[in-house]
Amino acid sequence: MPEKTYTVTIAKDLEDLIPVFVEHRRKELESLRAALAAGAFEQLRQLGHRMKGVGMSYGFDRVSALGKQIEEGARTGDRGAVEARIAEYADYLARVKVVYE
Amino acid sequence: MNEARGPRAAQGAFHVLVVDDDPDMVAYLTRLLRTEGMDAEAALDGEQAFALIADSPPGLVLLDVMMPGVSGFDICRKLKADEATALVPIVLITALEDTESRVRGIEAGADDFLSKPVNREELLARIRTLRRLHEMRKELEERRLAAEVHRKEAIRKAFSRYISPRLTEKVLSESQNGADVFRDLSDRTAVVALFADLRGFTRLSVTVPVSRVVPMMNEFFAELATAVHENEGTIFSMAGDSLLVGFNVPVAQPDAAERALATARVMVRRFAPIARRWKSDFGLTVGIGIGIEAGEVVVGNVGSPSFMSYTIIGDPVNVAARLMQMASTNEILIGPCAMESLHAVLGEANSFDRRELTLRGKAAPVEVLAVRVAAY
């Protein structure tokens, strides 16, 4: 069975911004993991909020969707849900492919 | 490329400031704006935003509400409270479902809202609309200012025929149309009247060539008018060789009598060098005679429909005129009512004496004060 990939289509005029954007998301993932390990739910909520705002603006709808769930999970203190979404985020970032048009 | 300071658009391009602490949002928004030919600049916090705005006020501000330090609401409130930036449209960027932020934004004076995630088409459509509105507002404001300047100029021109330029500026700065500053002159009004004339004028008019008389009289009146304006008096008439000045009219002056006395002294001193020159050029002995009196007068435009003049009429004007006629060269005669107001001031002067004079039209003699001014 072929490995699952996520394809994102981005406007051509944003192409040069994407490597920096993706790099920031990877750093964000590390921050999320660190905050989860520390039980820092307010920080998790803020990170989720930021993902929610920035992801879809660039065309990465899944980043926004996961961000919203992390923000909600952190707000309610649902550690299990947040941990699961962070794992999903890690998987997404590992598999996402960008197409420019 | 540094998106915060990226390439500047063509000169005259619409200038937008993006304020957001998220560098990815800054990069995205500034890119969209620059692609549309706008001049986009970015600030990552409130402090940076205020510095950039002070340096070059933008045509529009895109402002994130959730920022560490100074919030977007606070930045918005501050910009709207400042006269220099109040008209700059502000678009607050809030989360889609965040109704509370929108309410707070409206209260802070935001002109529009944009939801995160930001939709490209929506962003550009909102900016286009606000840009049109902003330009219309600016044009209206410029027209209003031009009308205001024109109106003030007309008032200045009208006032300056009567009152000093300094007093005109005071009236214009303290009141939209003078109504708040001018006294209600519909009833009889307390004023201090000063009359001054040129001693030796009759001889001057017969000994000096006719072609020189007018320039010489202009020289005389120019010095007297300067003395009046320095003390914020109002010139009511210039006739022959005499001048009528009022104080405490049309603007209230609690120290009107002191101003009148100061004006009289300055008149004599300013004219002294001219008198010396006339003496050496034409052998003329000239000087100034001055009368001052206080009391109630009627103020208004008096005359016929074809010729009117703004003037003061009443007993203190008559008394001041009589005193002027009786004053010696470079002497100031002060009537009994004005004298009362000047006790404190004259207490320091040593060059005055009291006299009893019988004035034409007055049954009993009146006590007046005579002040000699050294014409050095």
Side-chain angles (χ1 to χ4, degrees):
Chain A
M1 190 177 151
E3 208 174 63
K4 188 182 175 186
T5 59
Y6 300 94
T7 303
V8 176
T9 306
I10 304 287
K12 190 85 180 146
D13 60 359
L14 298 180
E15 186 173 354
D16 64 306
L17 303 181
I18 299 308
V20 177
F21 174 82
V22 172
E23 180 56 30
H24 284 163
R25 300 292 69 81
R26 293 206 168 101
K27 284 183 181 161
E28 191 169 63
L29 178 63
E30 293 313 309
S31 301
L32 285 163
R33 283 172 170 156
L36 183 69
F41 283 93
E42 175 54 24
Q43 196 190 342
L44 285 166
R45 190 193 65 74
Q46 286 177 11
L47 287 165
H49 183 81
R50 175 173 285 201
M51 286 167 65
K52 187 177 73 176
V54 78
M56 206 188 280
S57 298
Y58 274 79
F60 291 76
D61 295 11
R62 191 154 176 79
V63 173
S64 285
L66 286 169
K68 188 176 179 186
Q69 289 170 321
I70 291 170
E71 186 185 16
E72 279 303 311
R75 188 176 282 130
T76 55
D78 187 346
R79 187 186 169 88
V82 173
E83 190 168 10
R85 298 294 86 73
I86 292 174
E88 265 186 59
Y89 192 28
D91 181 60
Y92 173 79
L93 290 179
R95 295 169 193 276
V96 70
K97 297 277 178 284
V98 181
V99 175
Y100 299 100
E101 65 176 25
Chain B
M1 188 204 315
N2 180 348
E3 287 292 337
R5 294 265 172 206
R8 301 303 293 254
Q11 191 121 30
F14 189 59
H15 178 195
V16 180
L17 176 66
V18 176
V19 189
D20 199 314
D21 64 313
D22 183 342
D24 291 313
M25 282 311 295
V26 163
Y28 173 71
L29 292 169
T30 53
R31 173 59 55 86
L32 293 192
L33 298 170
R34 285 173 190 151
T35 304
E36 291 296 311
M38 292 178 226
D39 175 14
E41 206 172 12
L44 295 169
D45 57 38
E47 204 176 309
Q48 215 179 350
F50 289 129
L52 288 173
I53 290 166
D55 185 44
S56 166
L60 186 140
V61 179
L62 276 181
L63 183 58
D64 185 33
V65 290
M66 295 269 282
M67 287 192 293
V70 187
S71 78
F73 302 117
D74 293 334
I75 295 173
C76 184
R77 243 189 306 276
K78 195 168 169 187
L79 293 177
K80 289 297 178 185
D82 184 341
E83 207 176 282
T85 50
L87 289 180
V88 176
I90 296 176
V91 180
L92 278 186
I93 305 174
T94 64
L96 184 61
E97 70 279 18
D98 193 352
T99 311
E100 191 197 328
S101 285
R102 294 197 169 211
V103 172
R104 287 183 67 191
I106 291 167
E107 286 167 356
D111 296 84
D112 206 348
F113 297 90
L114 198 64
S115 299
K116 261 187 186 176
V118 174
N119 176 279
R120 186 178 191 139
E121 282 69 35
E122 186 188 354
L123 164 73
L124 297 175
R126 284 183 191 276
I127 288 183
R128 274 193 289 271
T129 305
L130 283 171
R131 182 181 178 174
R132 271 200 303 276
L133 273 173
H134 177 58
E135 278 160 6
M136 278 168 69
R137 271 190 206 167
K138 254 172 68 178
E139 196 183 319
L140 283 172
E141 182 61 12
E142 279 163 11
R143 279 194 208 168
R144 192 191 66 74
L145 283 175
E148 174 82 349
V149 167
H150 183 74
R151 196 184 58 77
K152 281 199 169 180
E153 202 43 53
I155 294 173
R156 183 177 287 114
K157 215 167 155 185
F159 284 175
S160 59
R161 290 178 58 201
Y162 303 110
I163 64 180
S164 75
R166 198 163 64 182
L167 197 53
T168 306
E169 289 309 320
K170 188 178 166 202
V171 168
L172 289 172
S173 67
E174 288 181 10
S175 162
Q176 282 293 306
N177 53 17
D180 306 334
V181 177
F182 284 154
R183 306 176 55 195
D184 178 5
L185 301 172
S186 53
D187 294 321
R188 292 177 71 82
T189 306
V191 305
V192 177
L194 177 154
F195 252 113
D197 78 345
L198 179 63
R199 289 296 132 87
F201 175 66
T202 313
R203 186 161 159 71
L204 181 150
S205 58
V206 294
T207 51
V208 172
V210 176
S211 61
R212 299 293 305 271
V213 173
V214 171
M216 287 170 77
M217 291 312 293
N218 287 346
E219 210 177 353
F220 167 72
F221 280 124
E223 294 302 327
L224 268 55
T226 303
V228 173
H229 289 163
E230 277 179 11
N231 292 284
E232 300 186 341
T234 300
I235 296 173
F236 284 97
S237 77
M238 249 180 216
D241 64 340
S242 72
L243 185 74
L244 168 61
V245 182
F247 294 89
N248 202 34
V249 60
V251 175
Q253 293 168 321
D255 55 348
E258 284 95 324
R259 285 174 186 268
L261 180 60
T263 303
R265 286 181 157 140
V266 175
M267 281 176 170
V268 173
R269 286 178 188 147
R270 288 193 74 95
F271 184 61
I274 295 170
R276 282 196 292 277
R277 180 155 44 78
W278 291 1
K279 174 93 177 162
S280 85
D281 291 355
F282 307 104
L284 292 168
T285 301
V286 293
I288 303 177
I290 298 169
I292 296 173
E293 179 57 319
E296 288 197 330
V297 297
V298 174
V299 185
N301 283 305
V302 176
S304 72
S306 60
F307 182 84
M308 290 202 123
S309 77
Y310 182 58
T311 194
I312 48 178
I313 300 167
D315 192 55
V317 180
N318 299 337
V319 171
R322 303 272 179 272
L323 293 173
M324 171 194 75
Q325 288 160 358
M326 298 172 89
S328 312
T329 300
N330 299 337
E331 185 178 57
I332 305 162
L333 290 182
I334 300 165
C337 298
M339 207 161 73
E340 277 181 31
S341 314
L342 290 169
H343 274 314
V345 184
L346 290 169
E348 299 162 11
N350 50 18
S351 55
F352 68 90
D353 61 272
R354 290 172 190 275
R355 270 180 225 165
E356 282 216 336
L357 293 177
T358 305
L359 303 180
R360 189 150 57 89
K362 297 275 174 194
V366 293
E367 189 183 39
V368 303
L369 210 60
V371 180
R372 295 284 308 168
V373 182
Y376 47 81

